[in-house]
Amino acid sequence: MNLFKIEAGTAQHIGNRPRQNDRVAVLTGARAPGHVLALLSDGINGPAGAEQVLHTAQQVFDSFKPGDTPNPERLAQLLRDIVQETHLVIKMNAVTTGEEAHASFVGLLLSPHGEAVWAHVGDSRLYRFENGEPVMRTNDNAYIEHLVSTDKLALDAARNHRRSKLLLNVLGNSRKEPYVTVGWQMGMAPGDQFLLCSDGLWHFFTDTELGAALARSTPRQASEMLINKAAERSQGKGGNCSMVIVKLVKALPEGVGVFGTPAQS
């Protein structure tokens, strides 16, 4: 198994909006040593839904006890559980408050076995790079196929789901259960990089530009550059801009192992 440690950072800018509705976090679990969970959620019409994502995620992650061997499907189920439990809580809160909150979700779970598992709901994105080269990003293709096959919608109607409250894929939608798209990659190694971001960031960059920014800078330096460039390109009309950057780098030579913990012999 390749040894690596994590460099991670979060960053946010309010843009031209009256308040910051996005929420970001990098979490550890009470019963899952060596596992790291990165999260980003874009609250719609307010931050309440995004705040609930982070609160529920920490609770669910703290109760999760991983196995001793790689099991990406089990990690994927953890992300599905976070989505489903958050969705239920948001809907229950709406009954009490009379106000329906919505939120996107994108989560990345890294294990000490070299697994990277991700899940997303809505238009926040996750990108994966190898030494700065873009190799994957999340999209709505699976959800569109789901609408066509399950709801028997015409393809054009499915592609226009963001315009319909009946089809909008978000947490907290009382009219529609969230559709979770999951993926994973085994054998993570130094040089692998991930970016979780809201549409206030990805709207202004190509995949290649984002990869280059991550490859040549620390997470803090890259986030500062991307936020500044997004503000410039938006010409003062950009929305909330938020991101989580996760980079896998070579472990230190003094016997440091996966996730910066002492290597085991």
Side-chain angles (χ1 to χ4, degrees):
M1 180 172 61
N2 290 326
L3 298 181
F4 58 85
K5 65 174 184 175
I6 286 181
E7 290 182 354
T10 65
Q12 294 186 278
H13 191 277
I14 196 171
N16 73 334
R17 298 295 190 263
R19 60 183 172 181
Q20 175 60 264
N21 292 334
D22 299 347
R23 295 293 185 267
V24 293
V26 178
L27 308 176
T28 57
R31 305 174 67 194
H35 291 68
V36 173
L37 175 61
L39 293 169
L40 182 143
S41 179
D42 182 351
I44 302 172
N45 299 323
E51 289 177 351
Q52 188 61 56
V53 168
L54 266 60
H55 179 70
T56 301
Q58 186 68 78
Q59 289 184 320
V60 174
F61 195 23
D62 279 342
S63 65
F64 175 72
K65 192 175 188 305
D68 297 328
T69 58
N71 190 340
E73 180 53 48
R74 190 157 183 259
L75 302 183
Q77 188 58 50
L78 170 65
L79 296 175
R80 294 189 189 100
D81 290 344
I82 291 171
V83 168
Q84 192 58 39
E85 292 194 28
T86 305
H87 175 64
L88 292 175
V89 171
I90 292 175
K91 289 205 302 180
M92 288 189 294
N93 289 342
V95 174
T96 303
T97 64
E99 298 181 358
E100 189 172 291
H102 292 158
S104 72
F105 172 90
V106 59
L108 168 69
L109 185 57
L110 298 174
S111 85
H113 303 300
E115 302 159 289
V117 181
W118 54 85
H120 91 280
V121 177
D123 63 358
S124 297
R125 287 184 180 177
L126 178 142
Y127 295 78
R128 185 170 78 85
F129 306 93
E130 292 179 358
N131 295 306
E133 292 296 321
V135 294
M136 187 282 302
R137 67 173 165 85
T138 57
N139 56 51
D140 286 343
N141 290 344
Y143 182 55
I144 292 170
E145 292 176 5
H146 169 75
L147 292 175
V148 172
S149 63
T150 304
D151 292 11
K152 307 304 179 184
L153 290 179
L155 183 59
D156 287 347
R159 285 173 173 165
N160 290 326
H161 66 277
R162 289 191 183 90
R163 301 177 185 175
S164 170
K165 291 182 179 179
L166 293 175
L167 303 178
L168 189 63
N169 191 29
V170 290
L171 281 65
N173 188 350
S174 62
R175 304 169 182 85
K176 192 81 175 175
E177 290 296 300
Y179 181 82
V180 187
T181 303
V182 172
W184 61 69
Q185 183 70 34
M186 307 294 286
M188 292 289 97
D192 289 318
Q193 302 143 347
F194 296 89
L195 171 67
L196 291 67
C197 61
S198 61
D199 58 352
L201 180 75
W202 64 253
H203 181 77
F204 299 103
F205 297 94
T206 66
D207 296 5
T208 299
E209 288 176 324
L210 293 171
L214 267 63
R216 62 175 176 248
S217 306
T218 66
R220 178 175 179 176
Q221 293 167 338
S223 62
E224 289 177 351
M225 186 276 288
L226 290 171
I227 284 176
N228 290 336
K229 184 60 69 174
E232 176 186 321
R233 293 181 175 180
S234 71
Q235 298 180 337
K237 299 179 181 179
N240 295 163
C241 179
S242 302
M243 74 193 80
V244 183
I245 296 174
V246 178
K247 301 178 66 173
L248 307 188
V249 300
K250 290 183 180 179
L252 296 176
E254 294 81 18
V256 176
V258 175
F259 293 95
T261 58
Q264 301 293 320
S265 59

